[in-house]
Amino acid sequence: MAFLADALSRVKPSATIAVSQKARELKAKGRDVIGLGAGEPDFDTPDNIKKAAIDAINRGETKYTPVSGIPELREAIAKKFKRENNLDYTAAQTIVGTGGKQILFNAFMATLNAGDEVVIPAPYWVSYPEMVALCGGTPVTVSTKQENNFKLKAEDLDKAITPKTKWFIFNSPSNPSGAAYSHAELKALTDVLMKHPHVWILTDDMYEHLTYGDFKFATPVEVEPGLYDRTLTMNGVSKAYAMTGWRIGYAAGPLQLIKAMDMIQGQQTSGATSIAQWAAVEALNGTQDFIPENKKIFEGRRDLVVSMLNQAKGISCPTPEGAFYVYPSCAGLIGKTAPSGKVIETDEDFVSELLESEGVAVVHGSAFGLGPNFRISYATSEAQLEEACRRIQRFCAACK
């Protein structure tokens, strides 16, 4: 009898975490490494949010909380959905988890049976298919194309849905591509979903506040209210509020699903950290003035990175509408020989050679289900990004 569970054979380690760890290890050995693998804002958590946490500690808010979250935070979440997304949820229809990752995992654990299919557009966040597999479901990936800005077409979604489809995962703006769907693009997808009443929608809105130019964010059930009774809308404070380490994600959806997720969480971690929950109350209810300021900085970084990457030999980089990632193609480098003498046969070869040769850590696109591409996170200083892009240009020019 094997000691480790069979489920482990169905999943892979997180490629984004692995790249960040490799960069840390090289830095510890004295290498000059620029890490562009982590999806983490370099901004500090705003002072009003930090103060709310300190005040909570001083008030003695350090005990166990209700599994689904403190009442004040669940009320703040319901108000946020009404204020920003025109969605009506009661506090009882919300749940708080230890990061968005736990919200997603709980939803799958509560609903998936062996043979259930989950449709996932590619490129996708690396954890989606692994979570589905761990929970006994079958990930069904649907590839998008760079010429369509990595956006799923309605006809492709329709073809992917079968009688076994339980969930459709939707992420806009997207990690890793930064693609964001307009109201009209969303309507085309929701029209398909209205034709398939057995399919539930899990929408990951984590990058909602990070869109650029004149783009206006919308979430699927806002576009098509007919999906309300089978949609779980997930969000969190990690990205827009620079609170990645606080580990607070949240969601709202049908009461039956929320209760099932609460039961899973009750046997798993119980409530999220009390102090972080009070900080999240302030994040949602307090001033939002810093968000436009941070967006402007991110937009400038995006434009810098896209411009410099498109000047690199063999690289093609579209301009994304949101998040803080770009997802350039390295197809022009496939078949070339790197400075080390190794032939670049895959996007994984490209990122490995780039790290060894120039000390720039990025994530290969095949980890996100679509290559030959790579993901760069531009959630770091402009000086670091400029230097990293110069190194990428130099590496690409040296490949023959």
Side-chain angles (χ1 to χ4, degrees):
M1 182 173 64
F3 175 64
L4 297 178
D6 292 343
L8 289 180
S9 67
R10 301 196 296 265
V11 300
K12 302 183 293 292
S14 168
T16 52
I17 292 174
V19 166
S20 298
Q21 181 59 30
K22 179 71 180 293
R24 281 192 289 267
E25 289 170 0
L26 288 173
K27 283 182 180 178
K29 292 177 181 177
R31 283 287 305 275
D32 176 18
V33 175
I34 300 176
L36 302 179
E40 181 171 50
D42 58 322
F43 306 126
D44 194 14
T45 303
D47 287 341
N48 64 306
I49 298 173
K50 290 191 287 187
K51 182 177 183 300
I54 294 167
D55 289 346
I57 293 171
N58 290 334
R59 288 198 310 273
E61 306 280 6
T62 55
K63 307 298 184 185
Y64 290 135
T65 74
V67 170
S68 289
I70 59 175
E72 292 84 354
L73 181 52
R74 297 178 79 188
E75 286 288 351
I77 291 164
K79 288 177 181 176
K80 175 262 183 265
F81 278 122
K82 180 63 175 177
R83 180 178 70 243
E84 298 182 349
N85 308 110
N86 302 309
L87 299 178
D88 288 307
Y89 290 108
T90 64
Q93 288 177 281
T94 69
I95 188 168
V96 179
T98 308
K101 210 173 228 180
Q102 187 186 25
I103 295 290
L104 297 169
F105 199 96
N106 287 352
F108 293 141
M109 183 65 73
T111 59
L112 289 179
N113 294 308
D116 287 345
E117 296 176 349
V118 178
V119 174
I120 309 172
Y124 46 70
W125 181 42
V126 294
S127 293
Y128 291 149
E130 311 307 327
M131 287 181 181
V132 170
L134 269 174
C135 294
T138 302
V140 176
T141 59
V142 185
S143 293
T144 60
K145 296 180 179 179
Q146 184 162 323
E147 52 263 39
N148 295 331
N149 292 320
F150 303 110
K151 295 180 188 179
L152 180 66
K153 293 294 185 182
E155 55 267 30
D156 293 330
L157 172 60
D158 202 23
K159 288 175 188 173
I161 293 173
T162 75
K164 295 181 177 180
T165 304
K166 176 71 69 77
W167 285 100
F168 166 55
I169 302 181
F170 181 75
N171 177 213
S172 172
S174 161
N175 174 5
S177 71
Y181 290 70
S182 68
H183 190 285
E185 290 166 336
L186 273 176
K187 187 65 168 64
L189 296 180
T190 58
D191 284 350
V192 170
L193 294 165
M194 288 296 290
K195 291 165 45 183
H196 300 280
H198 68 291
V199 179
W200 282 62
I201 300 89
L202 203 168
T203 177
D204 179 349
D205 294 351
M206 192 64 75
Y207 297 90
E208 169 187 4
H209 290 299
L210 300 177
T211 61
Y212 309 116
D214 296 327
F215 185 89
K216 182 171 172 48
F217 174 84
T219 196
V221 73
E222 179 184 13
V223 171
E224 178 47 77
L227 297 173
Y228 181 89
D229 290 334
R230 52 188 171 107
T231 298
L232 182 70
T233 301
M234 189 276 285
N235 211 315
V237 297
S238 296
K239 313 301 182 179
Y241 299 94
M243 294 176 67
T244 49
W246 298 78
R247 309 309 302 133
I248 295 291
Y250 59 83
L255 192 58
Q256 178 187 14
L257 175 60
I258 297 298
K259 286 181 176 179
M261 292 168 63
D262 174 90
M263 185 171 67
I264 295 288
Q265 191 162 303
Q267 296 295 354
Q268 185 187 55
T269 62
S270 297
T273 303
S274 60
I275 298 153
Q277 288 192 58
W278 282 104
V281 171
E282 175 62 22
L284 296 181
N285 287 345
T287 179
Q288 310 290 301
D289 290 350
F290 57 89
I291 293 179
E293 296 170 6
N294 290 352
K295 276 176 58 171
K296 187 174 181 180
I297 294 170
F298 276 136
E299 187 168 8
R301 293 173 177 178
R302 177 202 65 171
D303 294 344
L304 169 71
V305 170
V306 169
S307 174
M308 292 190 72
L309 288 177
N310 280 322
Q311 295 171 50
K313 184 179 177 183
I315 301 293
S316 170
C317 184
T319 303
E321 294 95 341
F324 40 65
Y325 310 104
V326 291
Y327 199 66
S329 168
C330 58
L333 280 301
I334 303 300
K336 302 285 187 182
T337 301
S340 68
K342 178 178 174 58
V343 176
I344 299 172
E345 297 179 349
T346 64
D347 50 29
E348 192 165 4
D349 289 341
F350 172 83
V351 303
S352 178
E353 290 298 307
L354 176 64
L355 179 57
E356 290 299 327
S357 178
E358 293 288 350
V360 177
V362 300
V363 188
H364 53 288
S366 53
F368 303 101
L370 190 71
N373 293 75
F374 59 101
R375 189 193 78 171
I376 283 179
S377 167
Y378 53 84
T380 191
S381 72
E382 194 167 305
Q384 286 277 83
L385 292 170
E386 201 166 341
E387 174 60 22
C389 288
R390 275 197 294 266
R391 295 184 189 186
I392 293 171
Q393 290 174 348
R394 186 166 62 211
F395 173 77
C396 292
C399 293
K400 304 299 182 187

